[in-house]
Amino acid sequence: AREQAQLKASVVEEDTEEWQKDSSFMGLKRVGGVDLSYIKGDDTSACASLVVLSYPALEVLYEDCRMVAVRAPYVAGFLAFREVPFLVEAVQRLQQEEPSLKPQVLLVDGNGLLHPRGFGVACHLGVLTDLPCVGVAKNLLQVDGLARDELHREQIRSLQRGGDMFPLTGTSGRVLGMVSCGDYNNSSKPLYISVGHRVCLETAVRLVKSCCRYRIPEPIRQ
């Protein structure tokens, strides 16, 4: 928790890049996606993946997928200590092998500020790599009074049209993320988008939506 608090002090919750200020993201050429996937029934063998796509065409430019042995135990709220080292290594390999393909932003399968201590996987990876990062989660993390209760389900049901969304406001009054429902394949399952590092929430949401062909944004899906 101490290490998280120290690293959290470095999180930047606003846009820092020129391309972020342009409504069509002019200047954005490469978007990365990262994920750690576990073998069913084995929580120590995982595949760490980093994929870089061209933008806006979303064509795969680079893939790095390798099996890793996960040694740190899973502890709620500390997932990053289990997963981030492998993702940092993947980013470092890319910088060494194909520096011209370095992503300008990473979409992370997990949460950013939407976290018990406001420092999820997307924040952790962003601070350690100094890359803009966005958290994209499939399930709601129940923090700061947020809950998968009837009110939340009712709000999700009200997201009829693709592009509909609503903010996740905790009992503290702070907006921790955005719930977005896409217009892809009529999926009614929402995405939970939160700031990771060096990007504001509005930009994060626009970027994720622009990368979706299906429910999961393409960099993470690939």
Side-chain angles (χ1 to χ4, degrees), residues 110-186:
N111 291 295
L113 297 178
L114 183 57
H115 177 269
R117 283 168 299 286
F119 194 72
V121 173
C123 298
H124 206 128
L125 184 62
V127 168
L128 293 185
T129 60
D130 200 31
L131 285 170
C133 282
V134 176
V136 185
K138 297 181 282 291
N139 298 299
L140 175 66
L141 195 61
Q142 306 196 48
V143 300
D144 195 12
L146 297 171
R148 282 192 296 265
D149 54 15
E150 188 49 44
L151 171 64
H152 184 73
R153 287 192 284 272
E154 185 57 45
Q155 285 177 302
I156 288 170
R157 283 194 288 270
S158 73
L159 299 178
Q160 293 299 329
R161 291 189 313 282
D164 281 0
M165 62 183 75
F166 63 87
L168 284 166
T169 307
T171 47
S172 64
R174 187 153 188 236
V175 175
L176 300 174
M178 194 70 81
V179 184
S180 173
C181 210
D183 47 7
Y184 22 82
N185 287 9
N186 298 323

Side-chain angles (χ1 to χ4, degrees), residues 2 28 45 55 101 135 156 161 163 169 173-174 176 208:
R2 262 201 314 275
L28 178 59
S45 298
Y55 188 90
L101 296 181
I156 288 170
R161 291 189 313 282
T169 307
R174 187 153 188 236
L176 300 174
V208 169

Side-chain angles (χ1 to χ4, degrees), residues 35-208:
D35 188 16
L36 213 73
S37 312
Y38 294 87
I39 290 176
K40 247 196 174 73
D42 180 355
D43 62 357
T44 60
S45 298
C47 182
S49 305
L50 163 64
V51 180
V52 181
L53 272 56
S54 64
Y55 188 90
L58 302 179
E59 289 166 349
V60 176
L61 301 175
Y62 174 93
E63 292 178 326
D64 179 351
C65 304
R66 41 186 87 190
M67 296 304 296
V68 296
V70 181
R71 294 194 173 83
Y74 172 72
V75 181
F78 297 99
L79 178 68
F81 291 96
R82 188 170 154 82
E83 300 192 345
V84 162
F86 302 110
L87 303 177
V88 169
E89 283 173 12
V91 171
Q92 288 170 341
R93 275 195 301 274
L94 166 60
Q95 287 174 330
Q96 286 161 1
E97 295 163 14
E98 297 276 3
S100 64
L101 296 181
K102 180 181 172 182
Q104 292 160 277
V105 60
L106 285 174
L107 301 188
V108 182
D109 182 40
N111 291 295
L113 297 178
L114 183 57
H115 177 269
R117 283 168 299 286
F119 194 72
V121 173
C123 298
H124 206 128
L125 184 62
V127 168
L128 293 185
T129 60
D130 200 31
L131 285 170
C133 282
V134 176
V136 185
K138 297 181 282 291
N139 298 299
L140 175 66
L141 195 61
Q142 306 196 48
V143 300
D144 195 12
L146 297 171
R148 282 192 296 265
D149 54 15
E150 188 49 44
L151 171 64
H152 184 73
R153 287 192 284 272
E154 185 57 45
Q155 285 177 302
I156 288 170
R157 283 194 288 270
S158 73
L159 299 178
Q160 293 299 329
R161 291 189 313 282
D164 281 0
M165 62 183 75
F166 63 87
L168 284 166
T169 307
T171 47
S172 64
R174 187 153 188 236
V175 175
L176 300 174
M178 194 70 81
V179 184
S180 173
C181 210
D183 47 7
Y184 22 82
N185 287 9
N186 298 323
S187 173
S188 59
K189 292 179 176 173
L191 288 176
Y192 298 90
I193 302 166
S194 58
V195 168
H197 184 50
R198 292 177 58 183
V199 62
C200 75
L201 184 57
E202 183 190 354
T203 299
V205 170
R206 280 198 302 124
L207 178 65
V208 169

